[in-house]
Amino acid sequence: MPEPDRDLNRKAIAQALADLADTDRLTLVEVAADGVVTFLLHRDDNGRPHGRSWSATWPDLAGERGWDARTREAVLRTARASSSSADVILVATSSADPRAEQALAWLRAAHPAAQVLRTEAPIAALIREVIADDPLTRSYELVVVLADSAASRPRLTSRQLFPLGSRPGARTRVALRCEAAGTHGTAFAVVTWQGPKPRLLSVQSAPVAPGRYEVTAELVRPGRVRFTGLPALSPDPRDWDQLVAALPDRPAGGAGPTHLVCAVEVCGADDQVAERLSRARQMISSASGELGDLLRVSLLAYAAHSYDLSAPEFPVRVAAWEAGAGEALNALGALEEQGAVARGYPYHPHAAQLEDMLAVVVERLGRADPTPAVILTVGGRPPHPARTDQSRILPCPHRHDWRKLITALGQRQSTVLGAICDQPADQAHQAWHRIGAAALAHLEAVDVRGLAADLGLVAPSPVHFPFPLLDETE
């Protein structure tokens, strides 16, 4: 049969707990048939209620000396009640034992304004029940990352899970996106806010595969949030400072929309031309893998000038311009099938149409297009000079000046020049050091990803996000 006063006692304890501030203590002293039990309740920095208890039996309190002033002091010490009567609740378990009545009288005299509750059952179970059902005194929020390719750097924010006053059993759903997270996995950190800084309530993590997730959060009890819709989460040992330190200082992927212009020299030995085209393919694939639809690709092929009017010249060929990566790779495949061109006499054996290629690129790019451009030249021969000089290389038939053309590209906003040269840097013609001003690699020993990172096409190292990202489609 239910105890008549149970609900009233529960409400009294719950109200006292609700009134409890972070720095206060609530003392409940139970005077039972066998002795005194003291419960001390408080809230932590996140507003969660916590409690501990201790007890003493009547023989412990009175000893062999009987009930005297020293026994009274022992009862009050066991209670360890706050001097503020507002923080004390006395609980009397129904008993005809005169020792219990005497102890209760001493406690009431010491705390005359304290509430007195009467019950027939031990109060411990009721206290646990009140703590478990305590409504939130602060909202619980999930730490998330705001990051996109246009942002200067990712930043942390929070998404509310449970507002102030939520009770155990409350549920909420949130759409999240997870990216590669590194060794510890993605951390699902729940925080409360007091002032400008968050307070970490709990953090669980798991190696969550990149993708979008519909996650359900359930408030199990104050301080305990369960997430479903994810792999099994485990406690994460990192503290707040360690979690924040793991946040990357740049967004995933490149800086944004990028135009990669690949110009490949297709004169010379067949195997050498095949190697140049292969390097161009690797660069396009690497950049596309990170930038995706943000990447546009142009592909040009240039050969050698003919100085014999009876022999046709192979002009610079624009195989693709501002195409998707797939289309550009298809065009590159056609060049691979064609192989080397302009072999032998009357084509110039010691230079190539580099200057003609640069002229085409300058004309096509223009200065009005704000899209960042990466000009990657793959070859080995130097350009023709605009006029006769000491190099003994015949001048360009079209009088293009490669130096002025490179200067023009440099004046265009957000243009990066890179090159893959047949010769090592210390043996390459001086022109290649300007054509590859940002990065110059050797054809036979190029680190494709490293070169792509130097040119800003990919991140220099994988970007890991320690927290989930808010799904932009939410």
Side-chain angles (χ1 to χ4, degrees), residues 145 147-148 153-154 177-183 186 210 246-255 290 449 458-467 469:
V145 177
D148 58 66
R153 63 166 295 164
R177 178 165 58 89
C178 293
E179 300 287 351
T183 305
T186 302
L247 187 69
D249 59 3
R250 61 182 183 277
E290 185 140 346
R449 181 172 180 87
V458 301
S461 60
V463 175
H464 294 150
F465 286 97
F467 303 103
L469 288 74

Side-chain angles (χ1 to χ4, degrees), residues 84-240:
S84 171
S85 60
D87 296 328
V88 178
I89 294 178
L90 303 178
V91 181
T93 301
S94 296
S95 172
D97 192 321
R99 295 173 298 181
E101 290 301 321
Q102 179 61 71
L104 180 61
W106 287 334
L107 289 168
R108 294 187 69 171
H111 306 284
Q115 291 188 77
V116 179
L117 307 180
R118 294 197 175 268
T119 178
E120 295 180 357
I123 202 70
L126 190 59
I127 293 174
R128 287 194 295 269
E129 184 179 317
V130 169
I131 289 176
D133 194 45
D134 186 54
L136 298 187
T137 59
R138 297 187 191 154
S139 67
Y140 283 8
E141 304 193 8
L142 179 68
V143 178
V144 293
V145 177
L146 290 182
D148 58 66
S149 58
S152 58
R153 63 166 295 164
R155 64 184 181 89
L156 291 180
T157 186
S158 59
R159 198 270 193 193
Q160 187 181 80
L161 296 177
F162 304 107
L164 184 75
S166 296
R167 291 185 178 277
R171 288 183 174 86
T172 187
R173 300 177 69 184
V174 56
L176 300 172
R177 178 165 58 89
C178 293
E179 300 287 351
T183 305
H184 293 279
T186 302
F188 292 81
V190 180
V191 298
T192 62
W193 288 86
Q194 185 174 26
K197 292 185 178 180
R199 293 182 183 272
L200 189 61
L201 176 73
S202 66
V203 56
Q204 305 169 73
S205 61
V208 182
R212 287 182 167 84
Y213 294 85
E214 189 76 23
V215 178
T216 298
E218 178 188 358
L219 180 59
V220 179
R221 61 177 183 273
R224 175 78 168 91
V225 176
R226 180 189 295 128
F227 293 98
T228 55
L230 294 165
L233 299 174
S234 301
D236 193 309
R238 289 175 290 177
D239 61 23
W240 178 250

